Amino acid sequence: MAAISLYLLDLSPLAAVDNHKALAQVVRAEKKAFPKSEVFDFDRELRKRNTELVCLLDSPNPNEAYTVAAYLVFVRIQRTTLLHKICVLEKYRRRGLARSLLQKLQEDLRAQGCEEIQLWVDEARRPARSLYADTGFEEVDCVENYYAPGRTGIKMALKLQLG
């Protein structure tokens, strides 16, 4: 893995064809990483003005093709952001990419005047909960059967210090 570049997909300097290529990679990764009932409908959701997709791209060099290494999806609602998805593709895991994405998101949202980031995570996903806690999120609510019978959802939130 040589250069990792971070782009906001819908605002990136990538050509439109490359946007479609990256989105196709994200959709494939989503179907592989999440249960069918939790797969995000990118075609529908990304048409909404307040929904954004951030991709971390692995590129051997600026003139070669890239691969999506990780992505996250969030929705801005006034001064609150709802983090819907974060996914690091399997071969890129355990390298700090999710942490980097979360930190970049926090910086950007803070600069835009966002006051809080909220998310839901499956209680059984301990590595994800640990990552969120390590990046400042606190558990604020718990709902049994949130994802499915027997799967409890934990709501986590991070208050952003405006600077």
Side-chain angles (χ1 to χ4, degrees):
M1 183 166 52
I4 296 261
S5 303
L6 186 63
Y7 296 103
L8 277 174
L9 186 62
D10 59 341
L11 302 175
S12 77
L14 299 174
V17 168
D18 287 332
N19 281 350
H20 293 297
K21 177 185 170 198
L23 184 56
Q25 289 181 35
V26 167
V27 169
R28 279 193 304 276
E30 178 81 5
K31 289 178 180 175
K32 187 174 181 178
F34 293 96
K36 190 173 184 175
S37 62
E38 296 175 27
V39 170
F40 198 74
D41 184 348
F42 289 95
D43 288 334
R44 187 183 77 207
E45 296 299 325
L46 291 179
R47 293 175 200 256
K48 297 176 181 175
R49 277 191 192 153
N50 60 344
T51 302
E52 294 193 50
L53 170 65
V54 177
C55 293
L56 197 56
L57 305 176
D58 180 8
S59 178
N61 71 56
N63 299 322
E64 290 188 30
Y66 60 84
T67 301
V68 172
Y71 63 91
L72 63 79
V73 179
F74 65 93
V75 175
R76 265 308 281 280
I77 302 173
Q78 297 177 357
R79 296 199 176 269
T80 300
T81 295
L82 308 174
L83 179 59
H84 275 294
K85 291 278 182 173
I86 186 164
C87 181
V88 177
L89 279 72
E90 195 166 340
K91 78 178 199 173
Y92 295 97
R93 291 183 184 159
R94 314 274 323 142
R95 299 182 189 190
L97 299 183
R99 182 179 309 279
S100 295
L101 273 172
L102 285 171
Q103 290 170 339
K104 174 71 170 142
L105 179 67
Q106 290 174 23
E107 290 169 18
D108 290 352
L109 292 174
R110 187 177 293 112
Q112 296 168 18
C114 180
E115 295 174 356
E116 183 176 50
I117 303 173
Q118 300 175 358
L119 61 87
W120 284 90
V121 61
D122 190 316
E123 182 180 47
R125 293 193 175 145
R126 298 215 183 277
R129 288 173 59 198
S130 177
L131 168 69
Y132 299 138
D134 288 349
T135 54
F137 286 84
E138 296 180 357
E139 295 185 6
V140 296
D141 198 2
C142 175
V143 176
E144 291 183 20
N145 304 318
Y146 180 83
Y147 289 99
R151 291 184 58 208
T152 299
I154 304 290
K155 182 179 182 180
M156 299 183 80
L158 171 66
K159 300 281 187 196
L160 296 175
Q161 301 295 326
L162 300 179

